[in-house]
Amino acid sequence: MRLPDVLRGDMGVIAQLLRGMPQHADHAQRLSTFYAPQAAQYDRFRERLLRGRAEMIAQLPLFSGARVVELGAGTGRNVDFFGTAVERIGSIQLVDLCEPLLVQARERASRQAKIQVICADATTWRPGQAVDCVYLSYSLSMIPDWRRAIRNALSMLKPGGVLGVVDFYISARRALPGCVQHGAVTRSFWPRWFRHDGVRLDPEQLLTLREQLPDHELVECRGAVPYLPLLRVPYFTFVGRKPR
C-alpha cells in the first residue's frame, strides 16, 4: 500500500476514534456503529498499538487436536500469530458481537475449515463441549460485564485448561507485591483517554485474573501509541491454568 493511502486510512481511523463510541444504543449496536467505518483499516492501524499478542499466544497450549476459543475475536487477526501451530489444532472458534469486524474474520476463516466464526456475546456464549484454551486479546477491557466474561471463559475450560489475556491496564493504587506500581498520572490519564472509545481500564481486571488462576505467568509492559511517540501505554500478558 502506498504511503498516501496508508496515511489516508490512518486519518480515517483516528477521526473515528476522536468521535468515540456511541452512548445511546445497546452494546452490539455501539460496537457496529463505532467499528464499521474503520473495519477495513482495523488490523493495519492497530498492528502498531496492540502489543504482546504474539507473545501471549506463543504461551498457549496449541497441541495436536486442541480446541481453542477466542472471545472478542474481532477480525480474527490473532489466528495469524499461531503460525504453523494452526495446522495441528483441532478447532478454533472466534466469537465476537461486532458484525462489521466479523466480516474480516469470515474472510480469514474461509481459508481454514477448522476455524468457525460466531456472532455472539462473550459473556453468555458456550461451546458445545469443554475446550483446552480460551484467550482474549484487547477485548476484556471492552466488555461492560468483564467479570461475567471471565467466569464464562473459565466455565468452558477443561480442568487444566489455559486462559490467556493480553490487554491495556492500570495498576491499583497499591499494587500487589511483585507487580508494577503505576503513578497517579498514569492511573488517571489512561482510563480517561480510553473511556471515550468504550475501553474500560479497571485495576480489578488483572487482580481478578490473578485471584481466579493462581497458577499463572504475568508480564507487565508499556507500548508505543501511533503518531504519539512520547506516550507509552501500559499493557499486560497473562496466561493462567485452571486447577485440575
Side-chain angles (χ1 to χ4, degrees):
M1 184 178 291
R2 295 179 305 165
L3 183 58
D5 295 329
V6 170
L7 291 174
R8 190 178 302 112
D10 283 357
M11 292 307 104
V13 172
I14 290 170
Q16 190 62 31
L17 294 175
L18 292 173
R19 292 188 191 101
M21 179 77 72
Q23 300 301 312
H24 303 293
D26 65 27
H27 187 48
Q29 291 172 322
R30 291 197 303 271
L31 289 171
S32 292
T33 301
F34 182 64
Y35 283 116
Q38 52 178 307
Q41 306 295 333
Y42 182 93
D43 288 335
R44 188 184 50 74
F45 183 85
R46 284 166 175 80
E47 205 70 25
R48 293 160 287 164
L49 177 64
L50 307 183
R51 309 285 181 173
R53 293 178 293 170
E55 291 81 357
M56 182 270 288
I57 287 171
Q59 295 180 267
L60 302 180
L62 305 178
F63 52 81
S64 179
R67 291 190 290 273
V68 180
V69 169
E70 179 176 5
L71 297 177
T75 65
R77 165 68 175 104
N78 294 313
V79 173
D80 297 340
F81 292 119
F82 290 3
T84 57
V86 74
E87 301 299 332
R88 60 177 179 266
I89 294 171
S91 66
I92 307 168
Q93 292 174 294
L94 306 179
V95 182
D96 202 284
L97 199 57
C98 182
E99 188 60 40
L101 296 183
L102 290 179
V103 171
Q104 309 289 323
R106 291 190 186 98
E107 183 177 345
R108 280 192 167 89
S110 68
R111 302 191 290 268
Q112 276 283 354
K114 65 183 65 179
I115 301 176
Q116 180 185 12
V117 177
I118 302 159
C119 185
D121 190 326
T123 67
T124 58
W125 177 85
R126 298 283 181 87
Q129 57 185 317
V131 301
D132 302 288
C133 174
V134 179
Y135 68 96
L136 298 96
S137 170
Y138 291 95
S139 57
L140 186 64
S141 59
M142 293 203 71
I143 300 173
D145 193 351
W146 58 265
R147 288 184 174 85
R148 190 176 182 188
I150 292 175
R151 290 197 300 270
N152 194 38
L154 292 175
S155 72
M156 66 182 74
L157 276 176
K158 293 178 178 178
V162 165
L163 174 63
V165 181
V166 57
D167 215 326
F168 301 121
Y169 83 117
I170 53 167
S171 76
R173 193 166 70 88
R174 292 186 178 179
L176 294 175
C179 289
V180 173
Q181 176 66 68
H182 294 149
V185 173
T186 293
R187 289 185 286 105
S188 175
F189 174 77
W190 288 112
R192 293 184 181 184
W193 174 281
F194 281 113
R195 190 181 304 128
H196 180 66
D197 296 321
V199 180
R200 300 163 182 83
L201 302 192
D202 184 341
E204 290 295 322
Q205 292 163 358
L206 182 53
L207 292 173
T208 300
L209 288 169
R210 298 191 68 193
E211 289 171 356
Q212 292 294 315
L213 297 173
D215 180 10
H216 65 259
E217 294 184 19
L218 170 66
V219 178
E220 299 173 88
C221 304
R222 285 186 183 249
V225 178
Y227 298 105
L228 297 171
L230 298 181
L231 292 182
R232 291 291 185 272
V233 58
Y235 71 93
F236 69 87
T237 63
F238 174 97
V239 176
R241 189 171 296 276
K242 184 176 179 178
R244 295 185 180 274

